[in-house]
Amino acid sequence: MVKIEKLGILLSPTENEFENNGVFNPGIYQDGNLLHILYRAVQEGNFSTIGYAKCEGPLKIVERWDKPLLSREFEYEKHGVEDPRIVKIEDTFYITYTAYDGINAMGALATTKDFIHFKKHGVITPPVNYQEYEELVTSNGSKNLNPKYHHYYNLFAQIGLVEDEFRLLRDKDIVLFPRKIKGKFVMLHRIWPGIQIVEFDDWKELTKDFWKDYLRKLVEYIVLDPKDIFEVNYIGAGGPPIETEHGWLLIYHGVQETTTGKIYHAKAALLQLDNPKIEIARLPYPLFSPTKLWEIEGEVRNIVFPTGHSQFGNDLYIYYGVADKHIAVAKLDINEILQELKKQP
């Protein structure tokens, strides 16, 4: 087992209107000893924006804005700009987030070079409804596809929504690798219930035709599907994969279904360096689970939701949302988790 030290709550809601109901699910960019923290800020009524704080070292908050860094501007995000992840590739920061319009939750992209001027590039995930999605994923046969990939289609078919052209495929947990691989951008995303991968040269490639071709071969792009009891419901990527000599270390969340409701756990896997669609190993048990009162009780119970990390020496700090209310931090030894993963078949 990997030794985990839970260090407690780092950020909580304030009286500022934009973050008076919840502060959680942070994206982290580390620049030496400084951390840029981009977090989901929720106001009463469940409207989300992206807040900003700066950390000196892993835990010392030295700056926190009293207004959002990124706000809701467009129709596709009119209800929420949620759950940011951030990487820097070459001279550009790429911020991927969930855009929520009140019905649809889809992946979107913003970029900046200075944290002052931002450009939003819109939705970057498949702009297809569930009828189109089902036709695409079954067009080449889907016998090797986890039956859960048909879940929403079957559900919406029962209640007459499957052909709703405005109810689009839910695609969340959009996470970029922190560098190009073989000259291409590489991105993880989550079409329920697993984690898939996509590679491309330019963001302009991500057209509807691109995604339609991708969905026809969806089974080829699945990196991880739910496997053990701690992730039997669904999984989703956490922070950007961490490059190590043994492979890409991916911290992700797994959702367990119980008689009393869902429990979110932090999980870990190792992906091949030059071809990260190949899983090397994953831990058959959680890195950590909701055990503290502030992880169990909140807006939504029993959630630990890792979305960012920093590294100081061998200490890996994992920043995670708890109970859709606060941001907390856990610490582990990166060598210990890598050794534990290498023991797995």
Side-chain angles (χ1 to χ4, degrees), residues 4-274:
I4 299 291
E5 184 180 357
K6 291 184 177 179
L7 303 176
I9 292 172
L10 182 69
L11 292 173
S12 292
T14 69
E15 294 182 356
N16 294 321
E17 184 180 13
F18 79 98
E19 59 180 10
N20 60 11
N21 195 59
V23 166
F24 51 99
N25 300 359
I28 305 289
Y29 177 73
Q30 182 173 3
D31 182 10
N33 195 49
L34 290 178
L35 306 181
H36 298 281
I37 306 174
L38 283 64
Y39 59 85
R40 179 175 173 183
V42 184
Q43 69 182 72
E44 295 291 342
N46 193 32
F47 290 89
S48 297
T49 53
I50 303 302
Y52 176 83
K54 186 181 291 184
C55 209
E56 189 178 274
L59 300 171
K60 182 182 178 182
I61 300 295
V62 295
E63 182 179 343
R64 184 173 179 179
W65 288 18
D66 60 4
K67 60 182 180 180
L69 179 72
L70 288 175
S71 299
R72 303 179 303 276
E73 298 178 79
F74 300 102
E75 190 71 15
Y76 62 84
E77 59 184 11
K78 65 181 180 181
H79 211 286
V81 179
E82 304 176 352
D83 301 351
R85 275 77 157 184
I86 179 171
V87 299
K88 186 179 184 183
I89 300 176
E90 297 168 355
D91 64 345
T92 302
F93 293 96
Y94 294 86
I95 302 164
T96 50
Y97 64 95
T98 297
Y100 181 50
D101 66 5
I103 297 175
N104 301 305
M106 306 176 72
L109 172 71
T111 56
T112 183
K113 294 188 177 183
D114 55 13
F115 284 95
I116 298 171
H117 305 94
F118 292 86
K119 180 179 180 180
K120 288 186 176 177
H121 300 261
V123 171
I124 57 173
T125 50
V128 299
N129 65 22
Y130 280 92
Q131 180 69 50
E132 293 175 299
Y133 165 75
E134 183 69 9
E135 291 171 354
L136 290 165
V137 297
T138 58
S139 61
N140 292 327
S142 56
K143 61 182 179 180
N144 295 322
L145 198 63
N146 184 327
K148 285 192 174 185
Y149 281 92
H150 306 287
H151 169 79
Y152 281 111
Y153 173 80
N154 293 333
L155 174 64
F156 291 146
Q158 294 174 23
I159 57 180
L161 294 173
V162 74
E163 295 183 5
D164 182 352
E165 62 178 312
F166 302 110
R167 191 171 297 272
L168 302 178
L169 179 66
R170 181 166 289 219
D171 197 339
K172 303 179 69 176
D173 299 319
I174 313 300
V175 180
L176 274 167
F177 282 72
R179 66 169 173 84
K180 292 182 179 180
I181 300 175
K182 298 178 181 177
K184 293 180 178 290
F185 290 101
V186 183
M187 185 172 77
L188 300 175
H189 63 121
R190 202 279 305 287
I191 297 172
W192 200 89
I195 298 172
Q196 304 84 35
I197 194 167
V198 59
E199 303 171 346
F200 51 94
D201 292 306
D202 190 281
W203 293 93
K204 295 177 182 178
E205 293 177 33
L206 303 183
T207 63
K208 185 170 183 176
D209 285 341
F210 173 96
W211 284 117
K212 287 171 71 174
D213 184 61
Y214 179 93
L215 291 171
R216 290 187 186 100
K217 299 176 285 188
L218 182 61
V219 70
E220 299 177 17
Y221 302 114
I222 297 170
V223 179
L224 300 174
D225 258 354
K227 189 173 183 180
D228 57 51
I229 191 173
F230 302 106
E231 55 188 46
V232 67
N233 197 305
Y234 58 91
I235 58 178
I242 303 165
E243 187 170 6
T244 78
E245 63 178 319
H246 304 290
W248 293 101
L249 173 61
L250 177 67
I251 309 298
Y252 65 100
H253 66 267
V255 183
Q256 179 182 7
E257 193 70 56
T258 74
T259 55
T260 57
K262 295 180 176 66
I263 302 175
Y264 282 67
H265 305 274
K267 297 292 300 297
L270 198 62
L271 309 178
Q272 196 173 99
L273 273 181
D274 60 346

